[in-house]
Amino acid sequence: MINDLWYKNAVVYCLSVESYMDANGDGRGDFEGLTRRLDYLQGLGITTLWLMPFQTSPRRDHGYDVSDYYNVDARFGTLGDFVEFTHGAEQRGMRVLIDLVVNHTSDQHPWFQSARADADSPYRDWYVWADEQPPDAVDGIVFPGVQKSTWSFDKKARRWYFHRFYDFQPDLNTAHPMVQAEILKIMGFWTQLGVAGFRMDAVPFVIGTKGPQVRKPVEQFDMLRDLREFLQWRQGDSIILAEANVLPKTDLDYFGDEGERMQMMFNFQVNQHLFYALAAADCRPLVKAMKQTKPRPSTAQWGTFLRNHDELDLGRLTDEQRESVFKAFGPEKNMQLYDRGIRRRLAPMLEGDRRRIELAYSLMFTLPGTPVLRYGDELGMGDDLGLPERVCARTPMQWSTEPQGGFTTSDKPVVPVISEGPYGYQHVNAAVQRRDPNSMLNWTERIVRMRKEVPEIGWGEYEVLPVRDPAILAVRYDWRNNSVLFVHNLSDTPREVALSTGLAGPEGRVLINLLTENHSNAAEDGKHHVLLEAYAYRWYRVGGLDYLLKRSDIETPARA
Ligand code: NOJ
């Protein structure tokens, strides 16, 4: 197969227009500002941008409550500004993914307003109603502690409506053919304006059965095929990246056995176990999560991430594992959220320790899949725990030492810039880090470049190499007659590891370090004895630097 599935080896960067750059001085970011910052993103080596919702919305849930799917919220600019942005991204070789939030609308959406006002409205059936309060109205709450139920009474309709999330986000009746047709229309619209695909919000809920009689929603997986087919008929190389925090046993239902459904999914399973591994210096559950999520069609890809705009959801860990992650990374109650997660940014979780931050990133960049970075993490930005719920990790990007971190000329940004303590913009900002060769920003740029030179991760098959020490993770990827090997020490003490590459022949005797001059030659016993400092990481090419001369156009069975 020719390797032109771009998403298999992309570097994705997620951001919210609201928090990135304010060009018009009203205190919130906008498309004009973002477009001006495209050169920065190009410099960082990003290949794909994922934008959080920016459509017209009351923004009671950061835009995940859309009131007009066919417009840009006036606060961020116009459709014209949006097209300037997608054009600018394309000129710089970057693709754009946008959020597709169609499990629910805002309660202010004209569809809902019409549906509640008139029983005969054509939109009535676009939502999910009940005459009586369903007995399980307090089950299945997504935001415990903040959200009270999943059914609320609407005074105008004099009926109960279903909302999986907050009460201002009524669920769409996604089984309705007209709703399904509308979803395709929305996708077609934005595709026409230059997007390369969608990060699809809350996929299990979109395809789950809904209604007062439904006790346990059943996913209607065929819907995923319809979405994908439509999108690819319109624009062949567009993709859907699914937000589906599901158990590994259903992964193939989402990807499709033949890869006919979602092209990408976020790997929540690996994400949670990775944080456990970092907290406990124990890679065993992570390796198990990797094995469980290994089966996937060859055209499918995982999105690998550390933090995103939500809380770090630890709901899939055992109670004991979750406790150890809380203890290590979010010990105080106000660092935790929804009884299951941590709402902090990465750098403060890791106590600003550069070694641990690099280790975490090195893992993210070398685990199977396509890496997805969070804006500001390339600078080691912090959080503001004084802000409610998830807003604490959505503060404005810190560009410089200028007032408000160079984010806005307004002295009252809508979300305050972090301006105190070690993570304040005075210390953590792009302008200062650009000049410092050892900064986090320059480290990230370098690691992004290196990741792009290692297509084996995105395309190849991998094997976790057996090592005795649970604090060590050693993974080898093979692709087209080339192999790479990554070794990580998750503990806070130095470790010596003896490993064999698992490859027959003389090649496995030499490991060329891709990041330093610290190479390795196998000892007499055929093994590599690698001394790893605390939190160390190694990126090796197996064999030598003539690998590109050896690369083959097909898989070479002898190696596999
Ligand atoms: C998942 C999004 O990531 C989150 O931010 C949002 O609140 C919910 N879906 C509801 O749309």
Side-chain angles (χ1 to χ4, degrees), residues 50 52 61-62 64-65 99 101 103-104 142-143 165-166 169 199 201-202 243 308-310 338 390 394:
W50 153 31
M52 337 247 85
D61 180 16
H62 214 73
Y64 285 92
D65 47 334
D99 246 287
V101 189
N103 176 64
H104 45 267
V142 178
F143 303 125
F165 298 94
Y166 298 109
Q169 290 166 316
R199 176 268 190 191
D201 191 56
E243 186 219 10
N308 60 23
H309 63 298
D310 290 328
Y338 310 138
R390 295 160 290 167
R394 299 173 177 182

PDB file of all heavy atoms in Angstrom, residues 50 52 61-62 64-65 99 101 103-104 142-143 165-166 169 199 201-202 243 308-310 338 390 394, ligand 1:
ATOM      1  N   TRP A  50      -6.565  21.049  15.167  1.00  0.00           N
ATOM      2  CA  TRP A  50      -7.932  20.677  15.553  1.00  0.00           C
ATOM      3  C   TRP A  50      -8.491  21.853  16.361  1.00  0.00           C
ATOM      4  O   TRP A  50      -7.940  22.207  17.399  1.00  0.00           O
ATOM      5  CB  TRP A  50      -7.934  19.367  16.349  1.00  0.00           C
ATOM      6  CG  TRP A  50      -9.090  19.225  17.305  1.00  0.00           C
ATOM      7  CD1 TRP A  50     -10.357  19.723  17.172  1.00  0.00           C
ATOM      8  CD2 TRP A  50      -9.072  18.557  18.571  1.00  0.00           C
ATOM      9  NE1 TRP A  50     -11.122  19.399  18.273  1.00  0.00           N
ATOM     10  CE2 TRP A  50     -10.365  18.687  19.140  1.00  0.00           C
ATOM     11  CE3 TRP A  50      -8.081  17.844  19.278  1.00  0.00           C
ATOM     12  CZ2 TRP A  50     -10.694  18.137  20.384  1.00  0.00           C
ATOM     13  CZ3 TRP A  50      -8.419  17.310  20.509  1.00  0.00           C
ATOM     14  CH2 TRP A  50      -9.708  17.452  21.042  1.00  0.00           C
ATOM     15  N   MET A  52     -11.473  23.589  18.537  1.00  0.00           N
ATOM     16  CA  MET A  52     -12.670  23.378  19.350  1.00  0.00           C
ATOM     17  C   MET A  52     -13.801  24.217  18.753  1.00  0.00           C
ATOM     18  O   MET A  52     -13.549  25.113  17.951  1.00  0.00           O
ATOM     19  CB  MET A  52     -12.465  23.833  20.789  1.00  0.00           C
ATOM     20  CG  MET A  52     -11.043  23.874  21.244  1.00  0.00           C
ATOM     21  SD  MET A  52     -10.750  22.648  22.487  1.00  0.00           S
ATOM     22  CE  MET A  52     -10.420  21.282  21.439  1.00  0.00           C
ATOM     23  N   ASP A  61     -20.937  25.961  27.407  1.00  0.00           N
ATOM     24  CA  ASP A  61     -20.009  24.834  27.535  1.00  0.00           C
ATOM     25  C   ASP A  61     -18.909  24.992  26.478  1.00  0.00           C
ATOM     26  O   ASP A  61     -18.693  24.115  25.645  1.00  0.00           O
ATOM     27  CB  ASP A  61     -20.754  23.489  27.381  1.00  0.00           C
ATOM     28  CG  ASP A  61     -19.811  22.289  27.521  1.00  0.00           C
ATOM     29  OD1 ASP A  61     -18.683  22.465  28.023  1.00  0.00           O
ATOM     30  OD2 ASP A  61     -20.198  21.178  27.106  1.00  0.00           O
ATOM     31  N   HIS A  62     -18.267  26.161  26.528  1.00  0.00           N
ATOM     32  CA  HIS A  62     -17.108  26.404  25.661  1.00  0.00           C
ATOM     33  C   HIS A  62     -17.426  26.158  24.189  1.00  0.00           C
ATOM     34  O   HIS A  62     -16.578  25.671  23.429  1.00  0.00           O
ATOM     35  CB  HIS A  62     -15.968  25.478  26.108  1.00  0.00           C
ATOM     36  CG  HIS A  62     -14.612  26.096  25.949  1.00  0.00           C
ATOM     37  ND1 HIS A  62     -14.153  27.094  26.769  1.00  0.00           N
ATOM     38  CD2 HIS A  62     -13.616  25.842  25.074  1.00  0.00           C
ATOM     39  CE1 HIS A  62     -12.938  27.426  26.402  1.00  0.00           C
ATOM     40  NE2 HIS A  62     -12.585  26.695  25.377  1.00  0.00           N
ATOM     41  N   TYR A  64     -19.537  23.921  23.040  1.00  0.00           N
ATOM     42  CA  TYR A  64     -20.127  22.591  22.793  1.00  0.00           C
ATOM     43  C   TYR A  64     -21.647  22.655  22.963  1.00  0.00           C
ATOM     44  O   TYR A  64     -22.293  21.683  23.345  1.00  0.00           O
ATOM     45  CB  TYR A  64     -19.508  21.539  23.724  1.00  0.00           C
ATOM     46  CG  TYR A  64     -18.104  21.155  23.295  1.00  0.00           C
ATOM     47  CD1 TYR A  64     -16.986  21.815  23.807  1.00  0.00           C
ATOM     48  CD2 TYR A  64     -17.889  20.160  22.351  1.00  0.00           C
ATOM     49  CE1 TYR A  64     -15.698  21.490  23.392  1.00  0.00           C
ATOM     50  CE2 TYR A  64     -16.606  19.825  21.927  1.00  0.00           C
ATOM     51  CZ  TYR A  64     -15.523  20.489  22.453  1.00  0.00           C
ATOM     52  OH  TYR A  64     -14.258  20.163  22.029  1.00  0.00           O
ATOM     53  N   ASP A  65     -22.195  23.827  22.724  1.00  0.00           N
ATOM     54  CA  ASP A  65     -23.639  24.047  22.776  1.00  0.00           C
ATOM     55  C   ASP A  65     -23.950  24.990  21.600  1.00  0.00           C
ATOM     56  O   ASP A  65     -24.034  26.196  21.746  1.00  0.00           O
ATOM     57  CB  ASP A  65     -24.056  24.679  24.127  1.00  0.00           C
ATOM     58  CG  ASP A  65     -23.193  25.859  24.549  1.00  0.00           C
ATOM     59  OD1 ASP A  65     -22.011  25.958  24.140  1.00  0.00           O
ATOM     60  OD2 ASP A  65     -23.701  26.739  25.273  1.00  0.00           O
ATOM     61  N   ASP A  99     -14.318  20.538  15.379  1.00  0.00           N
ATOM     62  CA  ASP A  99     -15.233  19.750  16.191  1.00  0.00           C
ATOM     63  C   ASP A  99     -16.588  19.639  15.500  1.00  0.00           C
ATOM     64  O   ASP A  99     -17.076  20.622  14.929  1.00  0.00           O
ATOM     65  CB  ASP A  99     -15.415  20.435  17.557  1.00  0.00           C
ATOM     66  CG  ASP A  99     -14.855  19.608  18.686  1.00  0.00           C
ATOM     67  OD1 ASP A  99     -15.486  18.596  19.021  1.00  0.00           O
ATOM     68  OD2 ASP A  99     -13.789  19.980  19.222  1.00  0.00           O
ATOM     69  N   VAL A 101     -20.186  18.763  16.740  1.00  0.00           N
ATOM     70  CA  VAL A 101     -20.926  18.531  17.990  1.00  0.00           C
ATOM     71  C   VAL A 101     -22.395  18.331  17.653  1.00  0.00           C
ATOM     72  O   VAL A 101     -23.182  19.287  17.620  1.00  0.00           O
ATOM     73  CB  VAL A 101     -20.746  19.723  18.960  1.00  0.00           C
ATOM     74  CG1 VAL A 101     -21.335  19.384  20.326  1.00  0.00           C
ATOM     75  CG2 VAL A 101     -19.288  20.097  19.082  1.00  0.00           C
ATOM     76  N   ASN A 103     -24.337  15.555  18.974  1.00  0.00           N
ATOM     77  CA  ASN A 103     -25.138  14.748  19.899  1.00  0.00           C
ATOM     78  C   ASN A 103     -26.276  15.586  20.457  1.00  0.00           C
ATOM     79  O   ASN A 103     -27.344  15.082  20.775  1.00  0.00           O
ATOM     80  CB  ASN A 103     -24.264  14.239  21.045  1.00  0.00           C
ATOM     81  CG  ASN A 103     -25.083  13.485  22.063  1.00  0.00           C
ATOM     82  OD1 ASN A 103     -25.652  12.448  21.767  1.00  0.00           O
ATOM     83  ND2 ASN A 103     -25.215  14.056  23.266  1.00  0.00           N
ATOM     84  N   HIS A 104     -25.994  16.890  20.566  1.00  0.00           N
ATOM     85  CA  HIS A 104     -26.955  17.807  21.170  1.00  0.00           C
ATOM     86  C   HIS A 104     -26.778  19.178  20.536  1.00  0.00           C
ATOM     87  O   HIS A 104     -25.763  19.436  19.890  1.00  0.00           O
ATOM     88  CB  HIS A 104     -26.704  17.904  22.681  1.00  0.00           C
ATOM     89  CG  HIS A 104     -25.240  18.061  22.998  1.00  0.00           C
ATOM     90  ND1 HIS A 104     -24.423  16.988  23.270  1.00  0.00           N
ATOM     91  CD2 HIS A 104     -24.430  19.143  23.018  1.00  0.00           C
ATOM     92  CE1 HIS A 104     -23.192  17.401  23.471  1.00  0.00           C
ATOM     93  NE2 HIS A 104     -23.160  18.717  23.316  1.00  0.00           N
ATOM     94  N   VAL A 142     -23.001  12.764  33.099  1.00  0.00           N
ATOM     95  CA  VAL A 142     -21.607  12.852  32.649  1.00  0.00           C
ATOM     96  C   VAL A 142     -20.777  13.794  33.541  1.00  0.00           C
ATOM     97  O   VAL A 142     -19.580  13.601  33.706  1.00  0.00           O
ATOM     98  CB  VAL A 142     -21.543  13.318  31.174  1.00  0.00           C
ATOM     99  CG1 VAL A 142     -20.105  13.462  30.714  1.00  0.00           C
ATOM    100  CG2 VAL A 142     -22.270  12.334  30.266  1.00  0.00           C
ATOM    101  N   PHE A 143     -21.435  14.796  34.099  1.00  0.00           N
ATOM    102  CA  PHE A 143     -20.693  15.747  34.939  1.00  0.00           C
ATOM    103  C   PHE A 143     -21.197  15.696  36.384  1.00  0.00           C
ATOM    104  O   PHE A 143     -21.850  16.635  36.853  1.00  0.00           O
ATOM    105  CB  PHE A 143     -20.845  17.170  34.401  1.00  0.00           C
ATOM    106  CG  PHE A 143     -20.408  17.329  32.964  1.00  0.00           C
ATOM    107  CD1 PHE A 143     -21.270  17.870  32.014  1.00  0.00           C
ATOM    108  CD2 PHE A 143     -19.132  16.964  32.560  1.00  0.00           C
ATOM    109  CE1 PHE A 143     -20.876  18.039  30.691  1.00  0.00           C
ATOM    110  CE2 PHE A 143     -18.725  17.130  31.236  1.00  0.00           C
ATOM    111  CZ  PHE A 143     -19.595  17.662  30.303  1.00  0.00           C
ATOM    112  N   PHE A 165     -25.727  15.602  28.569  1.00  0.00           N
ATOM    113  CA  PHE A 165     -24.786  16.497  29.262  1.00  0.00           C
ATOM    114  C   PHE A 165     -25.587  17.543  30.055  1.00  0.00           C
ATOM    115  O   PHE A 165     -26.615  17.206  30.634  1.00  0.00           O
ATOM    116  CB  PHE A 165     -23.816  17.121  28.242  1.00  0.00           C
ATOM    117  CG  PHE A 165     -22.969  16.083  27.537  1.00  0.00           C
ATOM    118  CD1 PHE A 165     -23.350  15.546  26.309  1.00  0.00           C
ATOM    119  CD2 PHE A 165     -21.793  15.618  28.111  1.00  0.00           C
ATOM    120  CE1 PHE A 165     -22.580  14.577  25.669  1.00  0.00           C
ATOM    121  CE2 PHE A 165     -21.013  14.647  27.485  1.00  0.00           C
ATOM    122  CZ  PHE A 165     -21.413  14.127  26.257  1.00  0.00           C
ATOM    123  N   TYR A 166     -25.168  18.798  30.046  1.00  0.00           N
ATOM    124  CA  TYR A 166     -25.853  19.830  30.842  1.00  0.00           C
ATOM    125  C   TYR A 166     -27.294  20.033  30.358  1.00  0.00           C
ATOM    126  O   TYR A 166     -27.616  19.737  29.199  1.00  0.00           O
ATOM    127  CB  TYR A 166     -25.116  21.162  30.741  1.00  0.00           C
ATOM    128  CG  TYR A 166     -23.707  21.179  31.274  1.00  0.00           C
ATOM    129  CD1 TYR A 166     -22.619  21.281  30.407  1.00  0.00           C
ATOM    130  CD2 TYR A 166     -23.436  21.128  32.643  1.00  0.00           C
ATOM    131  CE1 TYR A 166     -21.313  21.312  30.885  1.00  0.00           C
ATOM    132  CE2 TYR A 166     -22.145  21.166  33.125  1.00  0.00           C
ATOM    133  CZ  TYR A 166     -21.082  21.258  32.241  1.00  0.00           C
ATOM    134  OH  TYR A 166     -19.800  21.295  32.707  1.00  0.00           O
ATOM    135  N   GLN A 169     -28.173  21.576  26.999  1.00  0.00           N
ATOM    136  CA  GLN A 169     -27.728  20.868  25.792  1.00  0.00           C
ATOM    137  C   GLN A 169     -28.691  19.720  25.461  1.00  0.00           C
ATOM    138  O   GLN A 169     -28.357  18.543  25.630  1.00  0.00           O
ATOM    139  CB  GLN A 169     -26.317  20.303  26.007  1.00  0.00           C
ATOM    140  CG  GLN A 169     -25.245  21.381  26.082  1.00  0.00           C
ATOM    141  CD  GLN A 169     -23.921  20.854  26.622  1.00  0.00           C
ATOM    142  OE1 GLN A 169     -23.897  20.101  27.595  1.00  0.00           O
ATOM    143  NE2 GLN A 169     -22.829  21.271  26.010  1.00  0.00           N
ATOM    144  N   ARG A 199     -13.329  16.270  14.369  1.00  0.00           N
ATOM    145  CA  ARG A 199     -13.213  15.567  15.633  1.00  0.00           C
ATOM    146  C   ARG A 199     -14.648  15.447  16.103  1.00  0.00           C
ATOM    147  O   ARG A 199     -15.308  16.454  16.373  1.00  0.00           O
ATOM    148  CB  ARG A 199     -12.354  16.384  16.606  1.00  0.00           C
ATOM    149  CG  ARG A 199     -12.225  15.786  18.018  1.00  0.00           C
ATOM    150  CD  ARG A 199     -13.271  16.328  18.929  1.00  0.00           C
ATOM    151  NE  ARG A 199     -13.047  15.978  20.330  1.00  0.00           N
ATOM    152  CZ  ARG A 199     -13.956  16.168  21.283  1.00  0.00           C
ATOM    153  NH1 ARG A 199     -15.119  16.709  20.999  1.00  0.00           N
ATOM    154  NH2 ARG A 199     -13.692  15.849  22.514  1.00  0.00           N
ATOM    155  N   ASP A 201     -17.589  14.784  18.418  1.00  0.00           N
ATOM    156  CA  ASP A 201     -17.832  14.832  19.860  1.00  0.00           C
ATOM    157  C   ASP A 201     -18.765  13.699  20.303  1.00  0.00           C
ATOM    158  O   ASP A 201     -19.764  13.412  19.642  1.00  0.00           O
ATOM    159  CB  ASP A 201     -18.495  16.192  20.165  1.00  0.00           C
ATOM    160  CG  ASP A 201     -18.575  16.492  21.643  1.00  0.00           C
ATOM    161  OD1 ASP A 201     -17.523  16.479  22.297  1.00  0.00           O
ATOM    162  OD2 ASP A 201     -19.697  16.721  22.136  1.00  0.00           O
ATOM    163  N   ALA A 202     -18.432  13.093  21.426  1.00  0.00           N
ATOM    164  CA  ALA A 202     -19.351  12.196  22.141  1.00  0.00           C
ATOM    165  C   ALA A 202     -19.952  11.094  21.256  1.00  0.00           C
ATOM    166  O   ALA A 202     -21.146  10.814  21.320  1.00  0.00           O
ATOM    167  CB  ALA A 202     -20.477  13.033  22.759  1.00  0.00           C
ATOM    168  N   GLU A 243     -14.230  10.976  19.312  1.00  0.00           N
ATOM    169  CA  GLU A 243     -14.090  11.000  20.766  1.00  0.00           C
ATOM    170  C   GLU A 243     -14.997   9.906  21.305  1.00  0.00           C
ATOM    171  O   GLU A 243     -16.214  10.042  21.311  1.00  0.00           O
ATOM    172  CB  GLU A 243     -14.528  12.348  21.347  1.00  0.00           C
ATOM    173  CG  GLU A 243     -14.245  12.437  22.824  1.00  0.00           C
ATOM    174  CD  GLU A 243     -15.325  13.148  23.635  1.00  0.00           C
ATOM    175  OE1 GLU A 243     -16.415  13.430  23.116  1.00  0.00           O
ATOM    176  OE2 GLU A 243     -15.075  13.407  24.818  1.00  0.00           O
ATOM    177  N   ASN A 308      -5.957  17.145  27.303  1.00  0.00           N
ATOM    178  CA  ASN A 308      -6.759  17.869  26.324  1.00  0.00           C
ATOM    179  C   ASN A 308      -7.532  18.965  27.051  1.00  0.00           C
ATOM    180  O   ASN A 308      -7.152  19.348  28.153  1.00  0.00           O
ATOM    181  CB  ASN A 308      -7.665  16.909  25.528  1.00  0.00           C
ATOM    182  CG  ASN A 308      -8.625  16.151  26.433  1.00  0.00           C
ATOM    183  OD1 ASN A 308      -8.937  16.592  27.539  1.00  0.00           O
ATOM    184  ND2 ASN A 308      -9.090  15.012  25.968  1.00  0.00           N
ATOM    185  N   HIS A 309      -8.596  19.461  26.460  1.00  0.00           N
ATOM    186  CA  HIS A 309      -9.322  20.582  27.053  1.00  0.00           C
ATOM    187  C   HIS A 309     -10.254  20.140  28.179  1.00  0.00           C
ATOM    188  O   HIS A 309     -10.827  20.969  28.861  1.00  0.00           O
ATOM    189  CB  HIS A 309     -10.121  21.301  25.961  1.00  0.00           C
ATOM    190  CG  HIS A 309     -11.156  20.410  25.346  1.00  0.00           C
ATOM    191  ND1 HIS A 309     -10.808  19.255  24.666  1.00  0.00           N
ATOM    192  CD2 HIS A 309     -12.500  20.466  25.323  1.00  0.00           C
ATOM    193  CE1 HIS A 309     -11.918  18.644  24.252  1.00  0.00           C
ATOM    194  NE2 HIS A 309     -12.953  19.362  24.637  1.00  0.00           N
ATOM    195  N   ASP A 310     -10.434  18.831  28.341  1.00  0.00           N
ATOM    196  CA  ASP A 310     -11.285  18.316  29.409  1.00  0.00           C
ATOM    197  C   ASP A 310     -10.427  17.881  30.594  1.00  0.00           C
ATOM    198  O   ASP A 310      -9.208  17.997  30.551  1.00  0.00           O
ATOM    199  CB  ASP A 310     -12.109  17.135  28.892  1.00  0.00           C
ATOM    200  CG  ASP A 310     -13.182  17.587  27.907  1.00  0.00           C
ATOM    201  OD1 ASP A 310     -13.690  18.716  28.073  1.00  0.00           O
ATOM    202  OD2 ASP A 310     -13.493  16.821  26.980  1.00  0.00           O
ATOM    203  N   TYR A 338     -15.300  15.877  38.775  1.00  0.00           N
ATOM    204  CA  TYR A 338     -16.331  14.886  38.420  1.00  0.00           C
ATOM    205  C   TYR A 338     -16.054  13.493  39.024  1.00  0.00           C
ATOM    206  O   TYR A 338     -16.339  12.464  38.393  1.00  0.00           O
ATOM    207  CB  TYR A 338     -16.463  14.748  36.899  1.00  0.00           C
ATOM    208  CG  TYR A 338     -16.623  16.051  36.146  1.00  0.00           C
ATOM    209  CD1 TYR A 338     -15.941  16.282  34.952  1.00  0.00           C
ATOM    210  CD2 TYR A 338     -17.465  17.067  36.624  1.00  0.00           C
ATOM    211  CE1 TYR A 338     -16.096  17.472  34.256  1.00  0.00           C
ATOM    212  CE2 TYR A 338     -17.617  18.261  35.927  1.00  0.00           C
ATOM    213  CZ  TYR A 338     -16.916  18.453  34.741  1.00  0.00           C
ATOM    214  OH  TYR A 338     -17.061  19.631  34.052  1.00  0.00           O
ATOM    215  N   ARG A 390     -13.467  22.936  34.024  1.00  0.00           N
ATOM    216  CA  ARG A 390     -12.365  22.698  33.086  1.00  0.00           C
ATOM    217  C   ARG A 390     -11.742  23.992  32.558  1.00  0.00           C
ATOM    218  O   ARG A 390     -10.748  23.951  31.842  1.00  0.00           O
ATOM    219  CB  ARG A 390     -12.872  21.828  31.928  1.00  0.00           C
ATOM    220  CG  ARG A 390     -13.277  20.445  32.388  1.00  0.00           C
ATOM    221  CD  ARG A 390     -14.197  19.774  31.399  1.00  0.00           C
ATOM    222  NE  ARG A 390     -15.505  20.404  31.364  1.00  0.00           N
ATOM    223  CZ  ARG A 390     -16.432  20.182  30.412  1.00  0.00           C
ATOM    224  NH1 ARG A 390     -16.187  19.354  29.450  1.00  0.00           N
ATOM    225  NH2 ARG A 390     -17.590  20.804  30.452  1.00  0.00           N
ATOM    226  N   ARG A 394      -7.845  26.244  30.309  1.00  0.00           N
ATOM    227  CA  ARG A 394      -8.196  26.825  29.003  1.00  0.00           C
ATOM    228  C   ARG A 394      -7.843  28.313  28.973  1.00  0.00           C
ATOM    229  O   ARG A 394      -8.513  29.103  28.308  1.00  0.00           O
ATOM    230  CB  ARG A 394      -9.697  26.639  28.746  1.00  0.00           C
ATOM    231  CG  ARG A 394     -10.126  25.184  28.697  1.00  0.00           C
ATOM    232  CD  ARG A 394     -11.627  25.018  28.610  1.00  0.00           C
ATOM    233  NE  ARG A 394     -12.003  23.605  28.494  1.00  0.00           N
ATOM    234  CZ  ARG A 394     -13.247  23.163  28.358  1.00  0.00           C
ATOM    235  NH1 ARG A 394     -14.255  24.015  28.332  1.00  0.00           N
ATOM    236  NH2 ARG A 394     -13.497  21.878  28.260  1.00  0.00           N
TER     237      ARG A 394
HETATM  238  C1  NOJ B   1     -16.901  16.261  25.098  1.00  0.00           C
HETATM  239  C2  NOJ B   1     -16.168  17.552  25.032  1.00  0.00           C
HETATM  240  O1  NOJ B   1     -14.791  17.289  24.914  1.00  0.00           O
HETATM  241  C3  NOJ B   1     -16.518  18.325  26.279  1.00  0.00           C
HETATM  242  O2  NOJ B   1     -15.704  19.454  26.422  1.00  0.00           O
HETATM  243  C4  NOJ B   1     -17.981  18.674  26.230  1.00  0.00           C
HETATM  244  O3  NOJ B   1     -18.374  19.300  27.426  1.00  0.00           O
HETATM  245  C5  NOJ B   1     -18.838  17.440  26.027  1.00  0.00           C
HETATM  246  N1  NOJ B   1     -18.320  16.540  25.038  1.00  0.00           N
HETATM  247  C6  NOJ B   1     -20.234  17.817  25.606  1.00  0.00           C
HETATM  248  O4  NOJ B   1     -20.226  18.285  24.279  1.00  0.00           O
END
